[in-house]
Amino acid sequence: MASSRKSKPSPKATLQAASAVAKRIGLALSGGLDSVVLLDAICKTVQTDPNNSTEIWVFHIHHGLQKPADQWLEFCEKLAKKYQVHFDFRLLHFADQSQGNIEARARAERYDALTELCIEHGIEDLLLAHHQNDQAETVLLQLLRGSGVSGLSGMPLNRINAKDNQSITLWRPLLNLSKSELETYAKEHKLKWVEDPSNQNTRYRRNAIRKDIIPRLEKIQPGAIANFARSADLLAQSQLLLDRLARQDGKHILQAQRLRLAPLLPLAKEDKAAANNLMRYWLKLNDLVMPSQERLESWWKDLMAVKTDSNLAWQHDEASIYLWRGLLQVANRKVGQWVFRDVPARSKSLGLPAEWVKKAQNQGLVEERLRQGAEKLQIKPNTPRKTLKNLFQESDTPPWERQAPLLYINDELIAVAGVGESYPHLVSTGKRVLPAWTEKL
C-alpha cells in the first residue's frame, strides 16, 4: 500500500549514488514512470545542492520494437532539455524478431549499448530505475527456472561491469521502494511519462508474473513483494559466504581465471557440493551464466573420464570452454574492430605514420582480414620475419586464440591482434598512431 505521507524515492540512496562519482553520472531513461521518477529525484538532489557539481547525462535506448518508439525518443530528449541535463541515445536493430527470446535479447543489447555510451562519455557510474516490484518479479522468474542461491539473490543494489580495463558501476537507488511509492511520488510531483503497450502483453513471462501472479500472491499474503525482496537480500548474503568458501577451496585450484584440473578432481570426489560451488564461482568470474544441474553433471563426467594431457571443449553461454594443458579456461567469442590510437607527442614509443594511415583510410585501403595461413610478420628489430604459426607457438598462445584478426594497410600485413605490429613500418618521429584491436561489448 502506498504511503499517505509526502514520498521521495530514497533520497539518501540517491544522494549516495550521485555523490559517489567525481564529475559525471549517467542515467538510463526509457520514458516510463520509473525512470522519470529517478530522473526527477536525482536532478532535485544534485541541482539543489550548491556543493554538488555532478554532471548528469541521460541515455535512451531506441529498440525499434514498438511503433511509438520514435515518440519515446523525442519525449526523453525533451525531458532532458527540461531538466537541463546532457542527452544521448542509441538505435538498436533486430532484423529477426522471431529468433530466440526477443525479451532477453533486447535486455542484453540494451545493457551493452548503455555501457558503450558510458565509456564514450567518460562515465563510470550509471543509475538504473529498478524497484522492489522488479526485484520480486526477478526472484519469481528465477524460481520458475529452478535457479540456485545466486539466481534467487535477484538484482544487487550496485555491481561493477568491467570491460577492456574499464569499469562501469550500475546503481539501483530505487530498489527498496515499491511501485506504488513511485506512483505516489509521480502524482504528487505532477510528472509525465510514457506507457509501453508491450508491458500489458502477458505472452512475456515477466509481464505474466506482474499482471497475473503477483496480485494473487499479494491477496494471499499482504506484503509479499517486500518479502520477496527481503529473501533476495538474505540469499545475496548467503551467496557472499559461498563465494568466500569457493575462494578458500580454490586457493590451489584457481589460477587467474582458469581452473587447474589436477587438484580439482580430488575435490570433486571428496566433496561434490564444494566442487560445484567452486565451478559456479569460476563461471561467474568469467561473466558466464550458471549452468543447469544436468549440464554441470555432464561436465563432471567428461572431466572424470578425460586424461590429464588431453584436450576438451564445451560450448556454454555463447562462449567456448577448453581444457588445455591441464587448465580449464574460457574463450569468449571475439567480435570487435581495429582502431588507431594517438601516440603522445613527447612519447618515445614507436608508431605508424599518422598521415600514411589517414591517407590509406580515405582510400579505403585499411581492412581487417582473417588468417589464411603462411602469413609472416617481423615484430622485433634485427630479427627475421616469422610465420604467425611460429609466433603463436613462441608466445604459447592456445590453439583457439590463433585465429586472430589481422590488420592490412595497402595490402601489407601491419598488425596481428595479441601478437604485435610490423616493426619495419614503425617510426619514432612525427605524428604517430598505434593500431589496437578493441572488442565490442
Side-chain angles (χ1 to χ4, degrees), residues 164-195:
D164 295 334
N165 298 321
Q166 299 183 79
S167 61
I168 304 299
T169 302
L170 304 178
W171 298 83
R172 296 183 175 92
L174 307 182
L175 200 56
N176 292 322
L177 290 166
S178 69
K179 179 74 170 185
S180 61
E181 288 178 290
L182 302 189
E183 291 171 342
T184 299
Y185 178 94
K187 291 176 182 177
E188 290 180 350
H189 293 80
K190 296 181 172 57
L191 303 182
K192 294 182 179 180
W193 60 91
V194 298
E195 295 286 355

Side-chain angles (χ1 to χ4, degrees), residues 126-170:
L126 178 69
L127 302 186
L128 304 174
H130 296 116
H131 48 74
Q132 199 173 74
N133 293 55
D134 293 324
Q135 184 75 298
E137 293 164 11
T138 299
V139 172
L140 282 170
L141 277 170
Q142 296 296 342
L143 274 172
L144 293 175
R145 293 167 181 157
S147 299
V149 175
S150 179
L152 296 175
S153 299
M155 299 177 289
L157 282 168
N158 60 77
R159 71 175 178 87
I160 295 176
N161 184 32
K163 185 70 176 180
D164 295 334
N165 298 321
Q166 299 183 79
S167 61
I168 304 299
T169 302
L170 304 178

Side-chain angles (χ1 to χ4, degrees), residues 118-403:
C118 285
I119 292 175
E120 178 181 330
H121 294 289
I123 293 170
E124 298 181 353
D125 296 78
L126 178 69
L127 302 186
L128 304 174
H130 296 116
H131 48 74
Q132 199 173 74
N133 293 55
D134 293 324
Q135 184 75 298
E137 293 164 11
T138 299
V139 172
L140 282 170
L141 277 170
Q142 296 296 342
L143 274 172
L144 293 175
R145 293 167 181 157
S147 299
V149 175
S150 179
L152 296 175
S153 299
M155 299 177 289
L157 282 168
N158 60 77
R159 71 175 178 87
I160 295 176
N161 184 32
K163 185 70 176 180
D164 295 334
N165 298 321
Q166 299 183 79
S167 61
I168 304 299
T169 302
L170 304 178
W171 298 83
R172 296 183 175 92
L174 307 182
L175 200 56
N176 292 322
L177 290 166
S178 69
K179 179 74 170 185
S180 61
E181 288 178 290
L182 302 189
E183 291 171 342
T184 299
Y185 178 94
K187 291 176 182 177
E188 290 180 350
H189 293 80
K190 296 181 172 57
L191 303 182
K192 294 182 179 180
W193 60 91
V194 298
E195 295 286 355
D196 184 348
S198 69
N199 288 336
Q200 307 301 318
N201 188 349
T202 54
R203 180 169 61 91
Y204 300 124
R205 282 173 294 181
R206 182 176 287 272
N207 289 346
I209 288 174
R210 180 186 305 135
K211 305 291 290 185
D212 299 334
I213 298 177
I214 286 184
R216 296 184 186 183
L217 291 176
E218 279 285 347
K219 287 183 179 180
I220 297 172
Q221 175 63 55
I225 291 174
N227 290 341
F228 278 123
R230 187 180 303 111
S231 293
D233 184 57
L234 293 172
L235 287 166
Q237 295 178 41
S238 299
Q239 185 60 51
L240 290 176
L241 295 178
L242 288 172
D243 288 349
R244 184 188 303 174
L245 180 61
R247 288 192 292 272
Q248 292 174 355
D249 290 334
K251 186 176 181 180
H252 302 294
I253 301 175
L254 284 167
Q255 186 181 91
Q257 289 187 303
R258 300 176 293 182
L259 285 176
R260 296 176 59 226
L261 182 61
L264 176 64
L265 293 182
L267 177 65
K269 291 178 180 179
E270 295 173 9
D271 191 339
K272 193 63 170 295
N276 283 337
N277 183 51
L278 177 57
M279 182 73 82
R280 292 189 181 99
Y281 177 73
W282 172 69
L283 291 170
K284 184 165 67 173
L285 288 179
N286 285 279
D287 294 322
L288 298 181
V289 300
M290 295 299 104
S292 65
Q293 191 64 29
E294 292 77 14
R295 174 167 291 189
L296 197 55
E297 284 299 323
S298 71
W299 287 354
W300 285 122
K301 289 180 181 178
D302 289 344
L303 292 174
M304 293 296 182
V306 76
K307 294 181 179 179
T308 306
D309 58 349
S310 299
N311 297 334
L312 192 67
W314 301 318
Q315 296 298 314
H316 177 65
D317 193 25
E318 297 187 358
S320 298
I321 300 176
Y322 293 95
L323 174 65
W324 188 63
R325 295 187 178 179
L327 292 171
L328 272 176
Q329 44 206 301
V330 175
N332 293 304
R333 183 180 58 184
K334 292 186 176 180
V335 178
Q337 61 184 354
W338 285 100
V339 297
F340 293 95
R341 293 172 178 164
D342 294 331
V343 176
R346 296 183 180 180
S347 173
K348 296 181 180 180
S349 300
L350 301 178
L352 300 173
E355 286 299 321
W356 177 69
V357 172
K358 184 177 181 181
K359 182 179 178 180
Q361 287 177 317
N362 292 337
Q363 295 176 344
L365 298 175
V366 177
E367 59 180 324
E368 173 196 339
R369 296 183 188 176
L370 294 177
R371 184 182 171 198
Q372 301 297 322
E375 296 93 343
K376 292 185 177 181
L377 190 68
Q378 179 188 348
I379 61 173
K380 297 179 181 178
N382 304 319
T383 60
R385 295 167 68 230
K386 297 182 179 181
T387 65
L388 296 189
K389 179 180 179 181
N390 288 337
L391 290 172
F392 283 129
Q393 290 175 337
E394 289 175 2
S395 62
D396 206 24
T397 301
W400 60 88
E401 292 185 1
R402 296 180 184 180
Q403 190 59 268

